[in-house]
Amino acid sequence: MKYVIANFKSNKNLSEIRNWRQSFEVQEYSNVTTIVAPPLPYLSLFKDESRRFLLAAQDVSPFPMGSYTGAVNAAQLKDFGVTHALVGHSERRRYFHESHQEIANKIQQLLDNEIIPILCIDEEYIAAQSKLLSDTQKNSMLVAYEPLSAIGTGVRPDLGTVQRIIAQIKKHFGEDTITLYGGSVTEQDCREFLIVADGLLVGGASLDAAHFSRIVAAAANS
Ligand code: PGA
């Protein structure tokens, strides 16, 4: 099974989201799990899409329900049919100063609500992040290798590097951990990454529904 995830980040308004949904043409592939992570306010627009793709949140509160102004908790995400959630994306770490511990707390909140975490990680903090997670937590998540230098830049690491870091992730998280690659993936190079990774986390190239459909199709045929 290959995983292909669209991360819209903080892009698109209501009409653009509606257009994307209408123009995203993908047949059901038995060998690909497609997951879409829209901005939170638009989650409900995707609630009935489970035949075509699963729904992910881009983030979650590190706290349960309660007095945490501005936070959206895992139980609330669950109500919208969310099955997966990104955690520890480098943009969260960089612009929102999230710590490894906060990310570990988010993972536990997700697991308490039966949502599968997709932990984003770069080489330099694999060990530090992994140290804060139990084996049970590690066995219940997907991990995405996302080199900072490749996110939104068009600069891609060579396959050998991706292979080496994925091996390092599996050493820390478990040999059977589903490990994705993310960072400037396009339809032109996605097949290469799928040789060494179990799937793709796609940012910029997911914003165009037709482009993203072709990446999913490429994964199905890889
Ligand atoms: P990008 O983003 O594909 O635009 O580089 C990937 C990500 O940040 O998940």
Side-chain angles (χ1 to χ4, degrees), residues 38-54:
L40 281 183
Y42 305 123
L43 275 180
S44 62
L45 296 179
F46 292 96
K47 213 179 164 190
D48 302 322
E49 287 284 9
S50 58
R51 207 180 48 78
R52 296 200 297 167
F53 51 81
L54 300 177

Side-chain angles (χ1 to χ4, degrees), residues 6 12 19 27 39 55 64 71 88 116 118 131 136 143 169 172 210:
K12 295 192 183 295
N19 281 342
Q27 58 193 82
L55 203 49
I116 300 169
I118 303 166
K131 233 174 26 201
T136 313
V143 179
I169 289 172
H172 281 88

Side-chain angles (χ1 to χ4, degrees), residues 7 9 89-91 146 150-153 182-185 201-205:
N7 175 14
K9 309 191 178 189
H89 191 282
S90 63
E91 287 152 14
E146 293 229 307
I151 295 175
T153 58
S184 296
V185 171
L201 179 49
V202 188

Side-chain angles (χ1 to χ4, degrees), residues 115-135:
I115 295 174
I116 300 169
I118 303 166
L119 171 66
C120 303
I121 207 153
D122 194 2
E123 181 178 8
E124 66 186 78
Y125 41 80
I126 294 173
Q129 184 68 76
S130 139
K131 233 174 26 201
L132 295 174
L133 300 170
S134 68
D135 286 345

Side-chain angles (χ1 to χ4, degrees), residues 2-197:
K2 297 285 185 193
Y3 291 77
V4 184
I5 304 173
N7 175 14
F8 290 177
K9 309 191 178 189
S10 195
N11 291 299
K12 295 192 183 295
N13 60 27
L14 180 59
S15 69
E16 288 166 343
I17 291 271
R18 285 194 171 125
N19 281 342
W20 190 97
R21 201 184 141 199
Q22 267 162 16
S23 30
F24 179 61
E25 282 175 20
V26 77
Q27 58 193 82
E28 279 175 81
Y29 297 110
S30 57
N31 60 343
V32 181
T33 300
T34 306
I35 304 174
V36 177
L40 281 183
Y42 305 123
L43 275 180
S44 62
L45 296 179
F46 292 96
K47 213 179 164 190
D48 302 322
E49 287 284 9
S50 58
R51 207 180 48 78
R52 296 200 297 167
F53 51 81
L54 300 177
L55 203 49
Q58 297 175 16
D59 185 36
V60 66
S61 171
F63 300 108
M65 197 153 316
S67 299
Y68 304 100
T69 301
V72 176
N73 66 58
Q76 292 164 333
L77 294 177
K78 187 88 185 164
D79 279 341
F80 283 89
V82 165
T83 56
H84 293 73
L86 303 180
V87 273
H89 191 282
S90 63
E91 287 152 14
R92 302 289 319 170
R93 296 181 194 255
R94 180 173 173 196
Y95 299 117
F96 301 89
H97 311 292
E98 288 186 6
S99 66
H100 301 324
Q101 184 58 57
E102 202 174 0
I103 290 159
N105 296 348
K106 290 179 180 209
I107 287 169
Q108 191 52 47
Q109 286 301 316
L110 291 170
L111 294 177
D112 286 347
N113 288 280
E114 291 166 348
I115 295 174
I116 300 169
I118 303 166
L119 171 66
C120 303
I121 207 153
D122 194 2
E123 181 178 8
E124 66 186 78
Y125 41 80
I126 294 173
Q129 184 68 76
S130 139
K131 233 174 26 201
L132 295 174
L133 300 170
S134 68
D135 286 345
T136 313
Q137 289 174 321
K138 289 180 194 173
N139 291 337
S140 317
M141 64 171 73
L142 278 59
V143 179
Y145 165 46
E146 293 229 307
L148 262 176
S149 55
I151 295 175
T153 58
V155 178
R156 295 167 193 86
D158 60 76
L159 273 200
T161 303
V162 178
Q163 199 163 20
R164 180 174 60 78
I165 308 298
I166 286 182
Q168 211 176 312
I169 289 172
K170 286 186 190 271
K171 209 170 115 220
H172 281 88
F173 286 79
E175 282 307 315
D176 296 332
T177 304
I178 294 166
T179 312
L180 320 178
Y181 168 77
S184 296
V185 171
T186 64
E187 64 175 306
Q188 282 78 32
D189 57 28
C190 61
R191 282 178 197 80
E192 283 176 49
F193 291 119
L194 286 168
I195 296 169
V196 295

